[in-house]
Amino acid sequence: ATNTSSIPEVTGDSAILFEPFNVEELQKSILKIVKNTDLKNKLKNDGISRAKQFSWHKCAEETLNVYKKVLNG
């Protein structure tokens, strides 16, 4: 994943990050994953675990809590 914007925050440790316009870095990252089955499996499992931390329900609850704080002072 690219190392810009909110992507590093979203992916946490479950991705290999690279500069978005650095083709060589992207190529090295892809080859690293393709050649290393353990790394590929780790990133896959970490990604699935990381994704479970996000949901529309949680987003709605957190947004509602912000609105409540703003309205209450």
Side-chain angles (χ1 to χ4, degrees):
T2 62
N3 63 359
T4 59
S5 187
S6 62
I7 300 299
E9 180 183 352
V10 172
T11 60
D13 293 333
S14 65
I16 294 176
L17 302 175
F18 61 90
E19 294 286 333
F21 299 106
N22 187 331
V23 177
E24 288 180 27
E25 193 175 1
L26 170 58
Q27 178 187 17
K28 287 178 184 177
S29 297
I30 291 171
L31 286 174
K32 189 180 209 181
I33 295 167
V34 169
K35 291 180 177 182
N36 187 332
T37 303
D38 291 337
L39 176 61
K40 178 179 72 173
N41 289 331
K42 179 188 180 314
L43 291 173
K44 179 180 78 172
N45 292 330
D46 289 353
I48 291 168
S49 295
R50 184 72 176 159
K52 289 178 182 177
Q53 296 176 16
F54 300 93
S55 72
W56 285 113
H57 181 77
K58 182 177 177 183
C59 177
E61 284 181 338
E62 291 178 3
T63 302
L64 181 59
N65 287 335
V66 169
Y67 288 152
K68 286 178 180 179
K69 286 180 184 178
V70 169
L71 291 173
N72 292 326

